Amino acid sequence: MKKIIATSLLTLGLLTGNTAHAEDYTIDTEGMHAFIQFRIKHLGYSWLYGRFDKFSGNFSYDEKTPDAAKVEVTIDTTSVNSNHAERDKHLSGEDFLDVTKFPEAKFVSTKYSSGKLEGNLTLHGITKPITIDVKEIGAGPDPWGGSRRGFEGSTKFALADFGIEKDLGPASKEVEMILSIEGVKK
């Protein structure tokens, strides 16, 4: 009898479409529809903006169960770009990213709930938990027969938490990350 009930419930779930299935996406860096940017105060007088030109990643998302979302992103730290070659050389060096020792940074999510994506960021050889505030931008078909979904996010963290000890003054202790992510459904 138990076997008949279990089989009936499984069949009912399949027929009514009540099974949750996350959609898998590849972050669209080829078409330049995704960005990882940062900003930090310069001496407390203005903002210095930059970005990472090379990164890759994937995410899974189901509108019915958004709390099951998963994200993984790898950043090529050698691609740091602040629109100034000498500054980029300094940011790539031992004072900051030390890209010779740490050519990649990585984020792996651990939890998503109510617009907060939690996960572990590995930067400069140190892994720490961070929280990213996330907002869905939209989802739907694209003109090429595929499907896309986009999000934006932001977070900030202390450079010292990741072993970056260069003193840029009290106004420059934290860096803000601004993320714009568009994924192409696999």
Side-chain angles (χ1 to χ4, degrees), residues 3 8 10-11 18-19 26 31 34 36 38 44 46 48 57 72-73 76 88 109 111 114 132 134 148 173-175 183:
K3 188 174 181 181
S8 298
L10 179 61
T11 303
N18 286 335
T19 56
T26 299
I36 297 178
F38 62 87
S46 64
L48 175 125
E72 188 169 314
V73 177
D76 177 350
D88 294 344
S109 68
K111 179 182 176 183
S114 303
I132 301 171
V134 176
R148 294 173 181 259
K173 300 278 185 206
E174 291 187 327
V175 63

Side-chain angles (χ1 to χ4, degrees), residues 10-97:
L10 179 61
T11 303
L12 180 61
L14 291 174
L15 291 175
T16 60
N18 286 335
T19 56
H21 177 65
E23 296 175 329
D24 295 323
Y25 295 84
T26 299
I27 296 173
D28 185 10
T29 55
E30 266 188 50
M32 294 300 295
H33 295 117
F35 304 91
I36 297 178
Q37 301 171 318
F38 62 87
R39 73 180 194 165
I40 189 165
K41 287 187 178 173
H42 181 254
L43 306 174
Y45 305 132
S46 64
W47 289 102
L48 175 125
Y49 283 83
R51 67 179 185 264
F52 292 97
D53 290 334
K54 296 179 185 174
F55 60 96
S56 61
N58 300 289
F59 64 90
S60 296
Y61 186 79
D62 180 1
E63 289 179 352
K64 294 179 183 174
T65 56
D67 290 358
K70 294 181 180 176
V71 180
E72 188 169 314
V73 177
T74 302
I75 301 168
D76 177 350
T77 58
T78 67
S79 72
V80 66
N81 183 345
S82 68
N83 202 31
H84 188 274
E86 286 301 311
R87 181 173 44 234
D88 294 344
K89 190 186 301 183
H90 190 207
L91 291 174
S92 295
E94 292 177 8
D95 285 343
F96 294 102
L97 296 172

Side-chain angles (χ1 to χ4, degrees), residues 174-186:
E174 291 187 327
V175 63
E176 294 182 25
M177 301 290 291
I178 304 107
L179 316 159
S180 180
I181 304 297
E182 181 176 303
V184 178
K185 188 175 173 183
K186 292 182 183 182

